[in-house]
Amino acid sequence: GYDETMVDFLVDRIAATIEWAVVDLKPAKAAWDTLHVKGLTTNRSLDAFERNVPPVLSPRPRNITPVQLVQRKDQAVDPVMTMLRVDRCDDRWLECYPKGAYTIFAIHGTGHPAANSLLDGDIHAIVQRKLESHIASGNQWLGYNPSQALHLFANGTQGDVSPKHFVGTRCERLLKQELGRGPGGPWRPTLPEVWRAPLRDERECLELARLSVNSIGDQLGDRAIVLFNRIESKLQNRLEIGRAFTTLHIPTMHLTEPLCAEPRSGVAQTAGSTEDAGTRMVGWKVLGLIPTNIAEGGEAVDPKSRGCHGAKRELLGSLQGLTVGEYGFQKYMQLGVVRIGNTVFAGVPVEATTVIGFRMKDAMRRWFTTGIDHVAVVSLTNGYLSYLTTREEYSAQHYEGGSTLYGPNSGAAFTEQLGRLAQGLAAGAPIVEVKPMVVNPGNSTSYFAPRDRGPANVNRELYTLTGDCSNLVMTWKDEYPGALLPAVGPVLNIEREIAPNIWNPILWDDHRSIEVRAIGKVRGGYKWEVRWVPDRPAPGRYRVALLQRQGRGSPLNRLESGAISCP
């Protein structure tokens, strides 16, 4: 199923962005470059990674120490950050200014633990906004406004790559103890979650996780700024652009190494990545009595399997097909290969592991004898087909292998098709096959609150402002969740007094130091809370401002809180 509210919101915003981009077309200069970023990512499935032949790393020491193990995990990643910088120019190319960037880097968006109850952009959002702020800083053409700069931070081959988060930030106890009303079946061990305030030690874990996310995001953002600045000297106004694209029906594809006719999920997929704390399903017992053997590796491997799915112990066995139905898994694959200047990159609808990413890059690079300096793979594009591993990694049935739906040949199939697209693109005869797909999205399910819930006209008002310069908290009455969020723009900002009665906005509600929560129903509306935990606020007076916006029933005027003073 799908959430109609969220789907409509995303479709409207994507369509509006494309329309705006077409209207906003102007001359531009652009260039690519790369930078090696080490020490911020780690391989969460090293045992599977080290099964690859030929070995990507040297043979593992027989009696490996904990330090050596950490070092090998840190080496078993793709450290290359690839960036396209774009500068806008006037119609006569006399004056240009930085506008934005497109960055590809392999890192999972799992800096925050799964027990975190906030909707948060995680590490990616910090990197995105940090470079946007850098681009806008001192940029008179953008009005010094980060929202006028663009940074798209895309995921590379991050299937088995996690952020190198601080030790003790997975908060497993909170994840296991989140309240529910008992087992709800094999797919949902709890019924809809009931949020509860974490206990003191659990709260400390979540706060440490936030520090970890901020640290990694800041360091990645700093590296992105270094790379962005370095590209300036390489900018040019003439870049060759080309693209190839195909839509393939997986069950009827003709391949050198065929795929399984029916996709299947392994028990390891249900367990999750245990190095990232796994899921609530690990160790789950039916009715609290019957073990399910849900695990990653080990019991997830079926040593007796002779079927198409090989080592994968299929979840529910032969009953899986009946449970998920005809449209339970995607049966189409959409692949794209794009050339912009001296760089070729692929868009794949999977989360590719490090080594299958290397193999896909090699399959594309071999067709370009000259003119190509950089090759990249972008995961999570053109749909979603879960994970993609090599045949060797698949045999280990870690989370990534259990989530590779079409069997052990899946990685080879993707690699073969990307090579075919790259071959046509390199020869000047790109393949463009945009074919119809048969899909069934199922019935809509309300994960987010509907937009029409609650009163149509809310008399918005401020309640309290408490705290100090280390932890400011404000509560107010506003519209119900769904009517207020997801929002099409900022809801509130933090302002600093720069002269008597002259206030300058410094942060919006999307900043990492600001948390906004829906607290509960109140008469005539809903109670909300904003909490600002600043890093190092400059001396001065600060306040919170609720921004003017169009409410569901009537316009909602701007409201400004009282002020606090920071020494």
Side-chain angles (χ1 to χ4, degrees):
Y2 65 99
D3 188 301
E4 189 170 357
T5 300
M6 180 56 71
V7 169
D8 288 345
F9 171 80
L10 291 173
V11 170
D12 288 345
R13 299 293 287 169
I14 291 170
T17 299
I18 294 172
E19 292 173 355
W20 168 78
V22 172
V23 172
D24 196 48
L25 283 174
K26 287 198 183 336
K29 293 182 178 181
W32 293 88
D33 205 351
T34 59
L35 184 71
H36 279 62
V37 179
K38 297 181 179 180
L40 299 179
T41 55
T42 186
N43 192 298
R44 67 186 189 186
S45 293
L46 185 63
D47 289 342
F49 175 92
E50 293 193 324
R51 293 192 180 200
N52 287 293
V53 179
V56 181
L57 299 179
S58 59
R60 179 189 285 196
R62 182 168 299 177
N63 297 314
I64 190 167
T65 67
V67 172
Q68 289 174 319
L69 182 63
V70 170
Q71 291 173 342
R72 294 181 76 85
K73 288 182 177 181
D74 294 352
Q75 294 169 359
V77 298
D78 184 348
V80 178
M81 176 183 285
T82 304
M83 180 184 290
L84 172 69
R85 168 174 167 163
V86 179
D87 284 22
R88 293 285 296 269
C89 302
D90 61 26
D91 292 336
R92 294 186 295 171
W93 302 93
L94 296 179
E95 198 166 32
C96 300
Y97 60 90
K99 176 61 178 177
Y102 177 64
T103 303
I104 304 167
F105 185 70
I107 183 171
H108 249 92
T110 51
H112 283 299
N116 175 42
S117 62
L118 288 171
L119 299 177
D120 188 274
D122 214 273
I123 292 168
H124 290 70
I126 296 175
V127 179
Q128 172 203 335
R129 179 49 59 91
K130 190 155 191 175
L131 182 56
E132 287 175 346
S133 297
H134 171 74
I135 294 171
S137 175
N139 194 327
Q140 59 179 320
W141 295 274
L142 299 182
Y144 313 101
N145 187 348
S147 68
Q148 297 302 306
L150 298 175
H151 181 206
L152 304 180
F153 187 33
N155 245 322
T157 52
Q158 43 61 267
D160 55 356
V161 178
S162 290
K164 193 174 181 182
H165 41 67
F166 295 172
V167 175
T169 60
R170 298 303 88 199
C171 308
E172 292 94 337
R173 178 164 171 248
L174 179 57
L175 177 67
K176 298 297 182 186
Q177 294 184 2
E178 279 187 341
L179 297 182
R181 290 174 288 166
W187 295 99
R188 296 174 66 184
T190 61
L191 293 174
E193 294 173 15
V194 179
W195 183 82
R196 67 170 173 84
L199 302 176
R200 179 176 178 179
D201 62 329
E202 297 166 343
R203 185 168 63 251
E204 290 173 352
C205 178
L206 294 174
E207 291 172 352
L208 181 61
R210 177 172 290 279
L211 291 175
S212 177
V213 167
N214 291 347
S215 174
I216 297 170
D218 277 338
Q219 292 179 75
L220 267 178
D222 290 341
R223 304 309 289 161
I225 290 172
V226 169
L227 182 54
F228 184 86
N229 292 341
R230 196 169 78 184
I231 297 175
E232 183 174 9
S233 62
K234 301 182 179 183
L235 293 170
Q236 53 184 300
N237 59 10
R238 298 188 65 85
L239 287 84
E240 181 178 344
I241 296 177
R243 58 84 180 91
F245 184 86
T246 188
T247 303
L248 299 167
H249 183 231
I250 297 173
T252 59
M253 289 170 58
H254 297 289
L255 296 164
T256 305
E257 300 182 64
L259 299 178
C260 299
E262 293 295 331
R264 289 291 181 263
S265 171
V267 296
Q269 182 175 25
T270 308
S273 173
T274 52
E275 286 214 8
D276 277 342
T279 70
R280 296 180 190 86
M281 294 295 289
V282 176
W284 178 61
K285 298 179 180 180
V286 178
L287 301 178
L289 299 172
I290 306 172
T292 57
N293 296 325
I294 291 175
E296 182 185 25
E299 294 185 2
V301 177
D302 185 356
K304 299 180 181 179
S305 174
R306 298 294 182 270
C308 177
H309 285 277
K312 181 189 294 175
R313 187 184 294 279
E314 298 175 24
L315 185 67
L316 300 180
S318 60
L319 296 178
Q320 184 175 148
L322 297 176
T323 304
V324 302
E326 181 181 1
Y327 299 103
F329 294 113
Q330 176 63 268
K331 294 190 176 182
Y332 290 85
M333 117 178 13
Q334 291 184 298
L335 304 174
V337 175
V338 178
R339 175 179 183 174
I340 302 178
N342 64 344
T343 300
V344 169
F345 62 95
V348 295
V350 289
E351 298 185 65
T353 62
T354 301
V355 177
I356 197 60
F358 289 155
R359 295 179 184 178
M360 289 191 289
K361 291 180 186 180
D362 290 341
M364 293 185 291
R365 186 190 300 271
R366 63 187 293 260
W367 296 106
F368 294 89
T369 56
T370 60
I372 297 300
D373 298 318
H374 314 296
V375 181
V377 175
V378 185
S379 296
L380 297 165
T381 64
N382 301 323
Y384 187 64
L385 275 168
S386 199
Y387 281 72
L388 189 71
T389 66
T390 66
R391 172 183 287 275
E392 298 94 329
E393 293 164 352
Y394 184 92
S395 68
Q397 280 302 294
H398 281 228
Y399 173 61
E400 298 80 19
S403 306
T404 298
L405 300 177
Y406 282 91
N409 293 338
S410 299
F414 271 78
T415 301
E416 180 180 331
Q417 293 303 312
L418 289 178
R420 181 173 74 97
L421 294 178
Q423 180 183 11
L425 187 60
I431 298 168
V432 180
E433 300 169 331
V434 184
K435 301 175 183 177
M437 297 189 299
V438 179
V439 296
N440 181 359
N443 298 323
S444 64
T445 302
S446 294
Y447 298 102
F448 289 85
R451 290 194 178 278
D452 59 355
R453 183 170 295 176
N457 293 282
V458 173
N459 180 25
R460 186 166 62 167
E461 60 180 292
L462 302 180
Y463 286 152
T464 61
L465 176 72
T466 60
D468 53 30
C469 297
S470 63
N471 191 357
L472 182 149
V473 180
M474 188 190 81
T475 58
W476 80 97
K477 181 175 76 174
D478 211 311
E479 295 185 294
Y480 270 49
L484 176 60
L485 298 173
V488 297
V491 173
L492 57 86
N493 62 30
I494 305 295
E495 299 179 343
R496 179 173 179 266
E497 190 176 36
I498 58 175
N501 296 319
I502 299 178
W503 296 83
N504 183 46
I506 58 171
L507 299 174
W508 284 261
D509 51 62
D510 63 347
H511 193 267
R512 70 188 193 199
S513 64
I514 297 175
E515 296 181 359
V516 178
R517 291 188 186 276
I519 303 301
K521 299 177 184 177
V522 293
R523 181 181 296 275
Y526 216 86
K527 183 178 180 180
W528 293 81
E529 175 191 272
V530 57
R531 182 181 300 270
W532 178 41
V533 183
D535 294 331
R536 291 181 295 275
R541 281 165 35 94
Y542 294 86
R543 71 182 184 186
V544 181
L546 299 178
L547 303 181
Q548 183 178 8
R549 70 173 195 275
Q550 179 61 45
R552 189 160 70 86
S554 60
L556 296 172
N557 294 327
R558 175 185 169 95
L559 294 177
E560 297 155 354
S561 74
I564 63 167
S565 297
C566 297

